[in-house]
């Protein structure tokens, strides 16, 4: 895909979300990060955040967890019920499957960093609203800036579309590296999708082999 085609896809994405104009600054949530330079400072800001209505229904904020010097970072969509209760990302059945995916490329969970686009659980696990993504987006951007991984893997359509700002189905996005601020980003299926559709594991394995190869090259 050429740069022009990627730009067209991003503009299509914004139009599909009802956006009529753009200004040239990062996500609204980046204002919330202020001059934050460390993950600990950022965690403090996120834990007390009330920038969108999800703060009213959360049990715990799910900031993210893992190796702060990770070469590989996973970005999911939003906390589910188990994560909301425990305050940790990917702790339910989908989390167990993610651990197996990580181990399949000869890494341990403690080697990687795992975060979400949205830090508070949407009620009944509904899809996050555009304004919630906009409000929270600066936090994951800042986490990525601080951790500065060699490779990012986005899990599922929402995380992939949000970071890439492209309105394509995950089946079209996955399978090849995209660019996120000069970091190679591999979109792939969400582990929760794989629990419902085990046949998708073959595609995820193909994606993760590319990730493993890229990490070895770097
Ligand atoms: Fe703040 Fe994000 Fe939670 Fe909304 S979802 S209250 S923006 S931390």
């Amino acid at each position: 895909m050429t740069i022009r085609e990627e730009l067209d896809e991003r503009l299509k994405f914004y139009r599909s979300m009802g956006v009529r104009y753009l200004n040239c600054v990062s996500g609204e949530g980046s204002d919330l990060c202020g001059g934050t330079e460390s993950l600990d400072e950022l965690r403090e800001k996120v834990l007390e955040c009330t920038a969108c209505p999800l703060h009213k229904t959360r049990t715990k904020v799910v900031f993210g967890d893992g190796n702060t010097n990770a070469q590989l970072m996973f970005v999911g969509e939003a906390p589910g019920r188990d994560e909301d209760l425990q305050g940790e990302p990917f702790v339910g059945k989908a989390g167990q499957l993610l651990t197996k995916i990580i181990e399949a490329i000869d890494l341990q969970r403690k080697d990687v960093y795992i975060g979400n686009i949205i830090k508070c659980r949407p009620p009944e696990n509904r899809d996050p609203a555009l304004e919630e993504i906009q409000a929270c987006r600066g936090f994951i951007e800042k986490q990525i800036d601080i951790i500065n991984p060699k490779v990012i893997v986005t899990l599922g359509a929402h995380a992939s579309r949000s970071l890439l700002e492209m309105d394509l189905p995950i089946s079209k996005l996955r399978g090849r590296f995209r660019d996120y601020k000069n970091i190679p980003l591999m979109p792939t299926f969400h582990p929760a999708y794989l629990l419902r559709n085990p046949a998708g594991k073959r595609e995820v394995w193909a994606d993760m082999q590319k990730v493993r190869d890229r990490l070895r090259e770097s």
Side-chain angles (χ1 to χ4, degrees), residues 56-125:
K56 296 178 189 161
T57 49
R58 71 188 176 209
T59 308
K60 289 188 176 172
V61 177
V62 181
F63 175 71
D65 191 34
N67 185 337
T68 55
N69 294 310
Q71 299 208 334
L72 176 59
M73 181 166 175
F74 288 87
V75 179
E77 177 188 331
R81 188 175 63 90
D82 293 329
E83 290 80 15
D84 176 63
L85 291 173
Q86 296 184 41
E88 301 290 337
F90 283 89
V91 290
K93 285 189 176 158
Q96 290 164 14
L97 182 51
L98 178 60
T99 301
K100 287 184 182 165
I101 291 169
I102 293 166
E103 290 171 352
I105 56 166
D106 305 323
L107 291 173
Q108 301 294 311
R109 192 159 159 144
K110 64 179 171 51
D111 298 325
V112 307
Y113 194 91
I114 304 172
N116 283 311
I117 296 280
I118 295 277
K119 309 299 188 198
C120 306
R121 182 194 183 201
E124 309 303 325
N125 290 357

Side-chain angles (χ1 to χ4, degrees), residues 46 49-52 54-55 58 118-120 135-136 139:
V46 175
C49 178
T50 56
C52 87
L54 294 180
H55 79 275
R58 71 188 176 209
I118 295 277
K119 309 299 188 198
C120 306
C136 211
F139 291 138

